[in-house]
Amino acid sequence: MLAFTIRRIFEAAIVMLTVALMAFVLFRFVGDPVNQMVGQDTTLAEREELRERLGLNDPVIVQFGRFIWNAARYDFGISYQVKRPVTSLIAERFPATFELAVTAALFAVLLGIPMGVYTGIHRDSWLSKLFLSVSLIGISLPTFLIGILLIYVFAVQLGVLPSFGRGEVIRIGGWTTGFLTASGLKALILPAITLGLFQMTLVTRLVRSQMLEVLRTDYIKFARARGLSDRAVNFGHALKNTLIPVITIIGLQLGAIIAFAIITETVFQWPGMGLMFIQAVQNADIPVMSAYLMLVAFLFVLINLIVDLLYVWIDPRVRIYGREA
Amino acid sequence: MSTDDHGLPAAQSTNPIRPPARSLASRFFDSDLWYSFRSSRLVVLAGIVTLLMVGAALLAPVIAPHDPYDLRALNLMDSDLPPAWVKGGDPRFLLGTDDQGRDILSTILYGTRSSIAISVLAVFLAIGIGVSLGLVAGYFGGIVDTIIMRIADVKLTFPAILVALLINGIAQTLFRGRLGGAEFWILVLSIGLSFWVQYARTVRGMTLVEKNKEYVQAARLIGMSRTAIMFKHVLPNVLSPVLVIGTINLALAIITEATLSFLGVGLPPTEPSLGTMIQIGNKYLFSGSWWMVAFPGLTLAVLVLAVNLLGDWLRDALNPKLR
């Protein structure tokens, strides 16, 4: 277990270094940082001075070392576009994305698992078929189209929910939350559904296929033969054993939720990190792009690591394999 | 001679002369694949819809009533017209017009054309990269295998859409202002590069199995080069799952292209694409111009759904376990 953990952490560190190298190359060589920072009428001497001050004349390897050192201390330089430290921009945007992602994940799990269990138990009922058809459509419709559809129905036609922004937010320390106001909660509904729908269909289908598999096993037949109630068999025995792969997938999907938040945030003009990233891409704001890349990579690697370790912890069979490897 | 006990077709053993070569078409219509295709009405429908849409996209310059590329034909007086059957609609524009006065129907035809072209090229690129890397990794093994698979692992950590977005962002920044029509190829590249891992992993796994089989050993004995064995003998035997993943990926590639264009980092607004049309229409949603979003959105959804259904069917039909 310890060897497995150390090996996994080592691999995660290599992934992070690779991503850091990509971010550094992006930062240093795509577009000239000095040209981006100064105006048209800056003299050559001033440019050279700035270049020296930023350390751009040092050997590349020294610059890379400094880049890593700064990133490790959570310093990603200054945005070209808004001329402010990237970290403070991210700190401003992060709560919005976090609240949206968590709500979407909750929506996906709290609706997806019951739907999956139901369609697994009642294979041929019309409600199951309806759920599955809806989930096929959920997979085939692109995220942004779902968002637009929801906006059209609930904001344009019915006018009951807002179509953009976070509503009123309350500031608690360095964190802004929309959970505590009515308008904040209302603004959260449509984006969270848009972001969570795909994950919900995924969870439904996964739980369903796992349930179908588990319900065929001998210990379920035996549990029924013992005269246990349907409820005890379905939830106590069957569902419990389907949950390991489901937890893994949900963990890994958290990364996908953060990535897809870019699209949802654009559709709903949600002031989160995804919208910041898209604006950075459109404005060639390299420091913001590379910081986002590093942060998201860090989140993904962290989630992967935790899921891997959880898996070993839950399932002893993996532990044996991990020891051998 | 009781050949039937061995499961051999009787015709082959009792008649030593080979049956007359049949045409490719008749072989196709007798195949299991065609039978399983015909036996599901939904799949047939999906096939017909896909064919119709691809056909309409290919023939766009011929059948489109207007040319959305021709700026002289556009008239701002015609902008923002509803579909022909709605009050205020113009019979010249069956599905209405957008904010520039472009005919929605024609733009959809041209847009589907570029969406399909980009997605197909991107999937081919991904197959090319993934299959070659997978073959090499599986066949040579050792350090080559480790390096390729490690890269694949790193790549797999990130969702495809994010990788495509990043590659696209970098390329756009690098060629800022002097792209001149290269957006098309940047899209192909960024989508292609974000999908190759699945092929590489699948092909590597199958190559590991295939390379120990007798036909590969025989080929080595007669002195064929490793490259020739890889591409002439192993490759054809690992292609059927590639076909399945390719079809499913095609739907994903269409969605990715539309998403990138919708986000404003794909094709420029002057080029018709389903994603760009939806992006433009989205701005006019509140003024009640629903047709600008509805028709391209519907086209996109139907196209993706049809291709997805075909992919699902192909996966089941080519999977011997499910027969």
Side-chain angles (χ1 to χ4, degrees), chain A:
Chain A
M1 178 75 192
L2 187 69
F4 180 79
T5 312
I6 291 173
R7 203 182 57 144
R8 271 276 172 256
I9 291 178
F10 182 68
E11 279 176 11
I14 289 183
V15 172
M16 274 317 293
L17 266 182
T18 319
V19 174
L21 184 65
M22 277 165 56
F24 170 71
V25 169
L26 183 68
F27 181 73
R28 179 63 188 83
F29 298 106
V30 179
D32 183 14
V34 173
N35 273 348
Q36 299 275 3
M37 288 164 97
V38 298
Q40 289 285 334
D41 48 352
T42 320
T43 62
L44 270 176
E46 280 170 330
R47 280 171 198 254
E48 197 47 47
E49 193 206 307
L50 184 64
R51 192 173 284 277
E52 189 61 45
R53 195 152 48 85
L54 290 173
L56 293 175
N57 291 331
D58 296 340
V60 172
I61 188 80
V62 174
Q63 290 187 40
F64 181 52
R66 193 184 303 128
F67 180 81
I68 301 252
W69 175 239
N70 285 340
R73 289 181 310 156
Y74 194 55
D75 175 7
F76 295 101
I78 291 164
S79 156
Y80 294 157
Q81 189 68 24
V82 284
K83 315 287 181 209
R84 284 175 49 205
V86 175
T87 35
S88 77
L89 282 179
I90 289 176
E92 246 167 50
R93 299 296 193 102
F94 181 73
T97 298
F98 181 80
E99 288 186 353
L100 177 61
V102 167
T103 316
L106 279 178
F107 165 76
V109 171
L110 293 183
L111 236 71
I113 291 182
M115 272 167 71
V117 171
Y118 182 84
T119 48
I121 297 171
H122 309 279
R123 285 185 70 171
D124 296 319
S125 88
W126 62 271
L127 198 59
S128 297
K129 284 181 181 141
L130 183 75
F131 282 162
L132 287 178
S133 318
V134 169
S135 82
L136 185 67
I137 294 171
I139 283 179
S140 294
L141 273 184
T143 316
F144 65 94
L145 216 49
I146 293 171
I148 293 175
L149 202 67
L150 288 177
I151 289 181
Y152 186 70
V153 174
F154 291 100
V156 179
Q157 289 298 319
L158 302 175
V160 286
L161 291 170
S163 68
F164 64 91
R166 276 183 91 187
E168 210 176 310
V169 290
I170 291 177
R171 179 173 288 276
I172 304 168
W175 189 275
T176 54
T177 179
F179 283 149
L180 298 175
T181 59
S183 73
L185 286 175
K186 268 173 104 176
L188 197 57
I189 297 174
L190 292 185
I193 293 179
T194 308
L195 187 55
L197 198 65
F198 180 79
Q199 264 67 32
M200 188 196 81
T201 58
L202 209 69
V203 171
T204 306
R205 286 172 163 245
L206 190 73
V207 171
R208 174 176 176 271
S209 67
Q210 290 288 329
M211 281 295 276
L212 288 178
E213 216 160 274
V214 169
L215 284 176
R216 269 199 299 251
T217 54
D218 287 342
Y219 70 85
I220 294 295
K221 284 179 195 148
F222 187 67
R224 287 203 199 286
R226 272 160 66 201
L228 294 180
S229 68
D230 275 354
R231 198 187 149 97
V233 173
N234 289 336
F235 291 93
H237 291 72
L239 180 63
K240 224 185 211 171
N241 282 289
T242 63
L243 282 185
I244 293 179
V246 173
I247 290 171
T248 320
I249 296 288
I250 291 169
L252 294 177
Q253 285 297 315
L254 270 179
I257 286 185
I258 294 167
F260 279 101
I262 298 175
I263 303 162
T264 310
E265 285 177 10
T266 311
V267 174
F268 289 95
Q269 292 298 301
W270 187 263
M273 281 163 52
L275 192 61
M276 177 188 76
F277 175 69
I278 277 294
Q279 284 160 354
V281 169
Q282 283 162 352
N283 296 320
D285 197 341
I286 304 285
V288 176
M289 275 167 77
S290 60
Y292 181 84
L293 176 64
M294 296 272 290
L295 269 187
V296 168
F298 181 70
L299 274 177
F300 285 2
V301 168
L302 195 69
I303 291 169
N304 270 327
L305 189 69
I306 293 172
V307 167
D308 269 2
L309 295 180
L310 264 185
Y311 211 66
V312 178
W313 188 57
I314 295 173
D315 191 341
R317 282 168 300 182
V318 185
R319 211 177 303 166
I320 296 161
Y321 161 77
R323 196 174 294 154
E324 278 170 359

Side-chain angles (χ1 to χ4, degrees), chain B residues 1-25:
Chain B
M1 232 177 123
S2 62
T3 49
D4 284 349
D5 290 349
H6 301 290
L8 289 172
Q12 251 179 27
S13 49
T14 51
N15 178 11
I17 305 161
R18 288 172 65 187
R22 289 178 304 157
S23 75
L24 203 65

